[in-house]
Amino acid sequence: MKDKARLIHTSRIAVRWGDMDAYNHVNNTVYFRYFEQARIEWAERMGSRVSPFEDVGPVIINASCTFLAPVNYPATVVVRMYAGSPGRTSLMTWYELFVEGEDRLYAEGAAKTVWMDMRSGKSVPIPQAVRALFDDSAA
């Protein structure tokens, strides 16, 4: 994780029975869903409504995950979302995934988020509410 990343959101998500795969642990694709849920909760809290009816919204252009230990049902995962300094139209985010009540890091990931004009398909400047999180003069 980048040195200047800031913790911007924490999500708690119940692991569902259906999240598991044939190996009896949470399927690797579901970790991306957990990161996505944290990202959407955060974006909506910042005023970026995620909806097909919005003119502008955040989209990811890449994502990664390193799986460190299997998660099993029943559990609640805790996803900590971090972000680096914003660019003009994009924001790099990182994720840490824990099981509630444990200190062990189960997975870590990253995603680059870009704000997009949905009609033109072109990037647009990051909303001021998001940019203000990184304004050191406000800290």
Side-chain angles (χ1 to χ4, degrees), residues 48-107:
S48 292
R49 188 166 168 252
V50 180
S51 165
F53 305 109
E54 293 297 309
D55 294 334
V56 172
V59 297
I60 62 169
I61 61 170
N62 68 27
S64 66
C65 183
T66 301
F67 307 97
L68 302 169
V71 174
N72 302 98
Y73 176 89
T76 298
V77 296
V78 177
V79 178
R80 293 182 189 153
M81 181 179 168
Y82 299 83
S85 297
R88 189 180 76 76
T89 63
S90 66
L91 181 69
M92 193 65 204
T93 57
W94 295 272
Y95 306 87
E96 295 176 330
L97 187 139
F98 297 87
V99 169
E100 193 168 61
E102 297 184 27
D103 293 330
R104 180 183 195 177
L105 181 62
Y106 281 75

Side-chain angles (χ1 to χ4, degrees), residues 103-123:
D103 293 330
R104 180 183 195 177
L105 181 62
Y106 281 75
E108 54 190 6
K112 187 171 188 179
T113 303
V114 174
W115 272 260
M116 183 83 63
D117 178 313
M118 298 305 172
R119 284 184 240 156
S120 71
K122 297 191 183 290
S123 61

